[in-house]
């Protein structure tokens, strides 16, 4: 099998490429390098530089590399930016997907995996979010992911394409320092950034209805997430016409305050957090039920939060050497 991995030069995509090739699959990366880094693509894996909006280039890549499956990670992913630039997000994430699916179905590629997000759920008022929990995204970014799922499932039903929509929860960590997330959009790099500047980490809201008053999330190591793609790819190959919608999380809630404590422990910093006002649109608790993916694919996360922080910190220090020089606080 040869898998075209769109967004394969990105943070998660680079891990998916390694997991797929490590499992014996062939991979080709398709990426416009808008946020991706060409050096993340391993030797021996072809890189086609192009946008998913360019149907001719996609069609050529599918044909030239005799592609038999697609993992579609390429997208814009910043919630705040999507509020300011909704048209850009709909064009990249929804129109880009439509063009890609048109090329995929015309080329009769049989399997398609789509990167969705826990952002499709919005503010779920449940202890554990199952795939049946109603979707009510709170941002244009989340809307593009939900619209993407509709498009993927409808195309699968109309054409027989095997499809999977993977709803990632909060992704962190790295398989190697050079593969770490370089953006500062998630809690772990946000805490690192503050500690590096010798400033206390910020907690946005400490009056939520949670055990310690701070928001609770479900964190997943990017290596585990990448392995979930391998399991998904295998399941789609084995059963033509399959349709999967799966949460990819650990089913364990970790609060912002706990996360800051664990980062301090791991990095040797010891700055207590400061409390800032709530951010609009932050749900109190979003934790996955990971039962369906365990039943359907036999997949279960192996890494804990400490593994995520430790590996993310190694990547952070590589890019910010000054971060590691602070006198350890404990
Ligand atoms: N990082 C997270 O916590 C998280 C959580 C849920 C879902 N996701 C989804 O996972 C996917 C990957 O996210 P990431 O964190 O690796 O982001 P990233 O920005 O590191 O990777 C995205 C990649 O896609 C490429 N790309 C963007 N638009 C493109 C286009 N139109 N054509 C071709 N290539 C394009 C970029 O150059 C980049 O290499 C995205 O679909 C994102 O929405 C991420």
């Amino acid at each position: 099998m040869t898998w075209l991995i769109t967004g394969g030069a990105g943070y998660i995509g680079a891990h998916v490429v390694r997991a797929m090739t490590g499992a014996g699959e062939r991979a080709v990366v398709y990426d416009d390098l808008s946020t991706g880094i060409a050096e993340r693509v391993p030797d021996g894996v072809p890189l086609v530089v192009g946008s998913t909006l360019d149907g001719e280039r996609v069609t050529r890549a599918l044909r030239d590399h005799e592609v038999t499956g697609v993992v579609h990670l390429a997208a814009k992913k910043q919630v705040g930016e999507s509020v300011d630039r909704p048209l850009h997000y709909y064009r990249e994430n929804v129109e880009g997907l439509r063009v890609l699916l048109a090329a995929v179905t015309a080329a009769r590629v049989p399997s398609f995996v789509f990167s969705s997000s826990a952002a499709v759920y919005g503010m779920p008022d449940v202890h554990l979010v199952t795939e049946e929990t109603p979707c009510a995204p709170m941002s244009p970014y989340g809307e593009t992911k939900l619209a993407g799922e509709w498009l993927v499932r409808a195309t699968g039903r109309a054409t027989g394409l095997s499809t999977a929509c993977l709803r990632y929860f909060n992704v962190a960590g790295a398989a190697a320092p050079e593969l770490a997330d370089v953006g500062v959009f998630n809690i772990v790099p946000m805490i690192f950034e503050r500690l590096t500047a010798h400033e206390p980490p910020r907690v946005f809201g400490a009056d939520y209805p949670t055990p310690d008053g701070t928001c609770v999330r479900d964190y997943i190591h990017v290596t585990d997430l990448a392995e979930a793609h391998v399991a998904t790819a295998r399941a789609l190959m084995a059963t033509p016409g399959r349709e999967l919608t799966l949460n990819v999380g650990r089913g364990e809630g970790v609060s912002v305050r706990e996360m800051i404590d664990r980062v301090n422990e791991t990095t040797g910093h010891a700055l207590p957090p400061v409390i800032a006002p709530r951010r609009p649109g932050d749900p109190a608790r979003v934790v996955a039920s990971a039962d369906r993916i365990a039943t359907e694919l036999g997949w279960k996360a192996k890494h804990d939060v400490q593994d995520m922080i430790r590996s993310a910190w190694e990547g952070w220090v590589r890019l910010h050497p000054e971060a590691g020089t602070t006198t350890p606080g404990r």
Side-chain angles (χ1 to χ4, degrees):
M1 290 283 294
T2 300
W3 291 83
L4 186 81
I5 302 184
T6 76
Y11 162 53
I12 299 172
H15 287 87
V16 172
V17 169
R18 280 162 179 77
M20 294 290 265
T21 54
E25 305 292 334
R26 279 188 298 273
V28 180
V29 169
Y30 189 91
D31 198 300
D32 69 1
L33 301 180
S34 53
T35 57
I37 302 169
E39 289 70 34
R40 281 192 182 132
V41 179
D43 289 345
V45 173
L47 166 63
V48 180
V49 178
S51 169
T52 50
L53 290 158
D54 183 345
E56 278 178 28
R57 188 167 295 223
V58 173
T59 299
R60 228 177 14 251
L62 295 174
R63 194 188 51 227
D64 290 352
H65 296 279
E66 297 178 7
V67 169
T68 48
V70 171
V71 181
H72 177 47
L73 297 117
K76 302 293 172 256
K77 64 161 184 179
Q78 292 180 48
V79 171
E81 186 184 55
S82 80
V83 174
D84 297 333
R85 303 183 66 197
L87 295 177
H88 180 59
Y89 270 67
Y90 270 83
R91 182 173 152 77
E92 293 285 326
N93 294 4
V94 181
E95 176 61 7
L97 171 60
R98 189 198 64 77
V99 171
L100 177 64
L101 281 170
V104 162
T105 51
R108 300 191 188 286
V109 173
S111 302
F112 193 89
V113 182
F114 174 59
S115 290
S116 186
S117 165
V120 298
Y121 295 115
M123 290 229 191
D125 190 17
V126 290
H127 188 68
L128 290 179
V129 178
T130 74
E131 291 81 354
E132 303 306 322
T133 301
C135 291
M138 300 280 297
S139 67
Y141 167 72
E143 290 164 11
T144 65
K145 289 292 170 183
L146 184 54
E149 288 194 9
W150 293 336
L151 204 47
V152 167
R153 283 193 285 270
T155 304
R157 288 172 196 169
T159 66
L161 178 68
S162 271
T163 66
C165 295
L166 299 182
R167 295 175 175 166
Y168 311 164
F169 279 63
N170 293 63
V171 188
E178 63 277 14
L179 297 180
D181 193 0
V182 293
V184 186
F185 309 118
N186 295 329
I187 181 170
V188 174
M190 282 167 78
I191 300 171
F192 290 170
E193 186 174 56
R194 298 282 293 183
L195 294 177
T196 303
H198 305 287
E199 288 171 359
R202 273 179 304 198
V203 173
F204 295 100
D207 57 350
Y208 284 95
T210 58
D212 67 15
T214 68
C215 290
V216 172
R217 297 288 181 270
D218 189 350
Y219 296 91
I220 172 88
H221 196 296
V222 67
T223 303
D224 284 330
L225 175 62
E227 290 300 332
H229 288 73
V230 175
T232 304
R234 296 258 153 94
L236 294 188
M237 285 185 304
T239 312
R242 192 137 186 215
E243 180 184 296
L244 292 167
T245 302
L246 301 171
N247 287 342
V248 193
R250 288 185 319 125
E252 182 191 315
V254 179
S255 77
V256 171
R257 210 185 276 274
E258 286 170 328
M259 203 66 180
I260 291 171
D261 286 348
R262 293 191 197 184
V263 171
N264 274 332
E265 275 165 31
T266 305
T267 64
H269 289 257
L271 284 173
V274 290
I275 310 301
R278 287 183 181 198
R279 290 183 305 195
D282 265 349
R285 178 186 161 93
V286 189
V287 179
S289 159
D291 289 350
R292 188 187 279 182
I293 190 166
T295 309
E296 294 281 353
L297 306 182
W299 173 91
K300 199 173 178 324
K302 297 189 183 113
H303 294 281
D304 62 15
V305 165
Q306 219 60 41
D307 294 336
M308 297 177 217
I309 296 172
R310 200 178 309 113
S311 59
W313 180 246
E314 285 167 9
W316 180 267
V317 171
R318 180 174 173 270
L319 287 175
H320 308 271
E322 72 282 12
T325 58
T326 304
T327 310
R330 38 178 110 166

